[in-house]
């Protein structure tokens, strides 16, 4: 297992599994209220908690794949971010409850509306179909999360119904291998 810690490289992003060295950036991402608003998860409270969350996360060990950190390939003068900075995460996760694989993403607000989530999520779908050989990938999103719904539409996913997501009434999107 652990074989897919390095993910796709896209025009602007490198994808790789996060490590303890990314804890500070991961903490900023996951403690920003606008980022956490529709995720159904409580914000992280400390860098230590972020480090534990990364280091104890079982997905890569258990399934070989998981959500990757999204790192800039080049400096971005508009936001002041530098090459190598973590600006979000994106990737696939096996949902044991549903026995499905879902695509998920989260980016820092300074980088919203620049197409990063679309770029990363498209690459995740291609990885799922071409490398993992999946037949179907799903996504769960709260209906009020307009930006996330839009990304799912842009990457070709279709609304198929609703799904309980840790007690929240989420929309279920799907895409099957073309
Ligand atoms: C969802 C999220 C990842 C989108 O990231 P992003 O990099 O800004 O996405 P993109 O730029 O690729 O595309 C965003 C699209 O949504 C649109 N959009 C942005 N805000 C919107 C809103 N409130 N309502 C409807 N559409 C919206 C943008 O205009 C764009 O569509 P367009 O290209 O047709 O103009 C980002 O908003 C985020 O991190 N949100 C917090 C975390 C989160 O909710 N994750 C998803 C959990 S299911």
């Amino acid at each position: 297992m652990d074989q897919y810690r390095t993910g796709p490289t896209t025009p602007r992003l490198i994808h790789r599994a996060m490590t303890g060295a990314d804890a500070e950036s991961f903490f900023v991402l996951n403690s920003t209220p606008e980022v956490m608003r529709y995720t159904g998860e409580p914000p992280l409270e400390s860098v230590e908690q972020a480090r534990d969350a990364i280091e104890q996360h079982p997905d890569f060990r258990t399934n070989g794949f998981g959500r990757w950190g999204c790192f800039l390939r080049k400096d971005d003068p508009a936001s002041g971010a530098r090459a190598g900075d973590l600006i979000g995460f994106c990737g696939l996760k096996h949902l044991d409850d549903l026995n499905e694989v879902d695509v998920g993403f989260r980016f820092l607000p300074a980088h919203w509306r620049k197409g990063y989530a679309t770029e990363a999520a498209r690459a995740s779908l291609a990885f799922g179909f071409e490398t993992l050989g999946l037949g179907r990938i799903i996504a769960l999103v709260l209906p009020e999360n307009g930006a996330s719904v839009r990304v799912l539409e842009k990457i070709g996913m279709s609304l198929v119904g609703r799904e309980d997501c840790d007690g929240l009434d989420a929309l279920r999107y799907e895409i099957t291998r073309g």
Side-chain angles (χ1 to χ4, degrees), residues 12 72-83 85 110-111 114 116:
R12 295 177 296 170
L72 282 180
R73 292 179 63 183
K74 289 187 182 159
D75 293 350
D76 176 29
S79 65
R82 309 295 299 269
D85 284 356
H111 304 281
K114 295 178 183 172
Y116 284 115

Side-chain angles (χ1 to χ4, degrees), residues 1 24 74 115 144:
M1 284 296 176
E24 212 162 306
K74 289 187 182 159
E144 53 272 38

Side-chain angles (χ1 to χ4, degrees), residues 56-114:
Q56 291 166 16
H57 198 66
D59 283 12
F60 285 95
R61 274 193 304 276
T62 309
N63 301 315
F65 62 91
R67 311 247 204 255
W68 298 292
C70 300
F71 298 86
L72 282 180
R73 292 179 63 183
K74 289 187 182 159
D75 293 350
D76 176 29
S79 65
R82 309 295 299 269
D85 284 356
L86 177 88
I87 65 161
F89 69 66
C90 182
L92 303 178
K93 181 179 180 64
H94 186 266
L95 304 181
D96 296 341
D97 291 356
L98 299 175
N99 197 24
E100 297 277 2
V101 171
D102 97 327
V103 62
F105 33 72
R106 208 173 280 185
F107 283 83
L108 286 167
H111 304 281
W112 286 1
R113 291 179 179 258
K114 295 178 183 172

Side-chain angles (χ1 to χ4, degrees), residues 2-18:
D2 248 358
Q3 66 263 52
Y4 299 117
R5 290 184 65 83
T6 301
T9 297
T10 62
R12 295 177 296 170
L13 297 169
I14 286 168
H15 295 81
R16 66 158 171 84
M18 291 169 280

Side-chain angles (χ1 to χ4, degrees), residues 14-176:
I14 286 168
H15 295 81
R16 66 158 171 84
M18 291 169 280
T19 70
D22 303 309
E24 212 162 306
S25 309
F26 189 72
F27 169 65
V28 173
L29 178 68
N30 292 287
S31 61
T32 299
E34 309 94 282
V35 174
M36 302 309 287
R37 186 168 174 200
Y38 300 119
T39 63
E41 288 175 22
L44 292 178
E45 288 175 0
S46 66
V47 175
E48 269 318 300
Q49 197 189 1
R51 184 171 292 110
D52 288 348
I54 294 170
E55 290 179 345
Q56 291 166 16
H57 198 66
D59 283 12
F60 285 95
R61 274 193 304 276
T62 309
N63 301 315
F65 62 91
R67 311 247 204 255
W68 298 292
C70 300
F71 298 86
L72 282 180
R73 292 179 63 183
K74 289 187 182 159
D75 293 350
D76 176 29
S79 65
R82 309 295 299 269
D85 284 356
L86 177 88
I87 65 161
F89 69 66
C90 182
L92 303 178
K93 181 179 180 64
H94 186 266
L95 304 181
D96 296 341
D97 291 356
L98 299 175
N99 197 24
E100 297 277 2
V101 171
D102 97 327
V103 62
F105 33 72
R106 208 173 280 185
F107 283 83
L108 286 167
H111 304 281
W112 286 1
R113 291 179 179 258
K114 295 178 183 172
Y116 284 115
T118 303
E119 177 175 326
R122 272 205 184 107
S124 289
L125 294 186
F127 166 82
F129 292 134
E130 291 159 22
T131 305
L132 298 181
L134 299 173
R136 175 169 64 197
I137 296 172
I138 73 162
L140 303 176
V141 59
L142 295 183
E144 53 272 38
N145 191 351
S148 186
V149 165
R150 181 76 194 117
V151 171
L152 298 178
E153 288 170 355
K154 286 199 292 180
I155 62 174
M157 300 189 76
S158 303
L159 178 62
V160 295
R162 303 186 89 99
E163 199 74 65
D164 177 84
C165 187
D166 297 328
L168 299 172
D169 183 24
L171 303 176
R172 174 172 168 144
Y173 280 75
E174 288 185 4
I175 185 168
T176 49

